[in-house]
Amino acid sequence: MSTLIHYFSFSFVQYAFIVGVLISLCSSLLGVTLVLKRFSFIGDGLSHVAFGAMAIAAVLNLSNNMYLVLPFTVIAAILLLRTGKNTKIQGDAAIAVISVSSLALGYLLMNIFSSSANLAGDVCSTLFGSTSILTLTKAEVYLCVILSIAVIAAFIVFYNKIFAVTFDENFAQAVGTHASLYNLVIAVIIAIIIVLAMNLVGSLLISALVIFPALSAMRILRSFKSVIICSAAVSVVCSVSGLLISILAGTPVGSTIVAVNLFVFVVFSVAGKFLK
């Protein structure tokens, strides 16, 4: 306990926990929708796009890469939404094309134009989020807080529409709901969540942060609202636990959080067997 108190006296640890809680809360809100709409891998695809945008920002020596990464990822989310409805390129193929291309081009740019002496370390940190969460500036924390509040507010305001679009998009459209508009809202919110989550778990592990809490909650609960509430609670607890373990044990932050999420998923799956 004394060790934890000592660590919490540092501002960078306080920043990490504030951002970690906010990101995990936001990530859990849309995870249920993505799972039910069979679009779970959009998080993986957008995270690779964000990696490519971060590579461009690094080449341009931008002081805050969020201003470039966020619009790039939002545009990619909209393109995925539009392209996924194309009969020639189905949703999963569109995600594969955009994600792999972005990942490859991003790494290529970092190799060609990088001025860093530790390219492998920079790439590893971006992909797995090993140290970025512990090096946040006050400006980045403020930006994360503002974006997180916007995401939570948007989810609450559009909750009924998101619920309708999630379960039966055709019926929602038939009764006058602009399904395409609310799909666009979902895509933009997901893009913002992905950009925020890169600092916590890195671009390769974001899907786990979005999907695992939703899957865990679905093992024991059935209603949409209860699953979302449980998913949010599980996500926050797992992120806080992962951060505490990583600080005390010296393990990578992103990988530790995902490992905790995996453990909780196994526990919930076993519990779900007995509750049936």
Side-chain angles (χ1 to χ4, degrees):
M1 184 60 69
S2 60
T3 304
L4 282 179
I5 294 174
H6 172 69
Y7 275 117
F8 271 98
S9 64
F10 297 105
S11 60
F12 69 88
V13 175
Q14 297 169 11
Y15 292 161
F17 274 86
I18 292 171
V19 171
V21 169
L22 289 174
I23 291 173
S24 57
L25 179 59
C26 291
S27 300
S28 63
L29 296 179
L30 266 296
V32 179
T33 296
L34 292 183
V35 171
L36 293 175
K37 287 175 72 67
R38 303 289 192 270
F39 219 38
S40 302
F41 277 103
I42 191 174
D44 201 38
L46 291 178
S47 67
H48 292 171
V49 172
F51 173 81
M54 287 188 76
I56 296 173
V59 170
L60 296 176
N61 291 319
L62 296 180
S63 57
N64 192 337
N65 56 32
M66 189 78 75
Y67 298 117
L68 179 69
V69 176
L70 186 58
F72 260 66
T73 312
V74 169
I75 292 171
I78 296 171
L79 288 176
L80 280 175
L81 181 68
R82 300 296 182 190
T83 309
K85 295 180 179 178
N86 191 323
T87 55
K88 294 182 180 179
I89 306 178
Q90 296 299 323
D92 56 347
I95 292 173
V97 169
I98 292 178
S99 64
V100 173
S101 300
S102 301
L103 190 64
L105 290 175
Y107 186 60
L108 183 63
L109 286 173
M110 291 184 76
N111 269 272
I112 295 174
F113 298 103
S114 177
S115 58
S116 172
N118 186 23
L119 177 62
D122 292 341
V123 172
C124 184
S125 178
T126 305
L127 292 177
F128 296 101
S130 56
T131 58
S132 53
I133 189 64
L134 298 176
T135 57
L136 294 172
T137 64
K138 187 176 290 187
E140 289 173 327
V141 174
Y142 284 145
L143 182 60
C144 178
V145 170
I146 293 170
L147 290 175
S148 298
I149 292 173
V151 166
I152 295 169
F155 184 82
I156 293 172
V157 170
F158 298 115
Y159 173 80
N160 290 330
K161 304 297 183 182
I162 292 174
F163 174 83
V165 170
T166 298
F167 280 96
D168 196 334
E169 187 172 327
N170 292 329
F171 178 77
Q173 198 158 1
V175 297
T177 301
H178 297 290
S180 58
L181 174 62
Y182 293 106
N183 276 326
L184 182 63
V185 171
I186 292 172
V188 172
I189 293 175
I190 293 167
I192 295 173
I193 291 171
I194 294 304
V195 173
L196 293 175
M198 284 191 71
N199 282 326
L200 185 63
V201 296
S203 62
L204 287 185
L205 303 177
I206 287 176
S207 287
L209 194 68
V210 175
I211 301 304
F212 266 126
L215 291 176
S216 297
M218 288 178 182
R219 298 309 97 188
I220 60 174
L221 299 169
R222 291 294 176 264
S223 75
F224 187 69
K225 183 178 290 187
S226 62
V227 167
I228 287 178
I229 293 172
C230 180
S231 174
V234 167
S235 185
V236 170
V237 170
C238 288
S239 291
V240 171
S241 301
L243 281 167
L244 288 172
I245 293 170
S246 66
I247 289 173
L248 294 175
T251 55
V253 176
S255 302
T256 306
I257 291 174
V258 173
V260 173
N261 271 281
L262 176 60
F263 173 75
V264 171
F265 171 70
V266 172
V267 171
F268 273 60
S269 297
V270 173
K273 299 283 187 182
F274 290 101
L275 292 175
K276 286 184 178 178

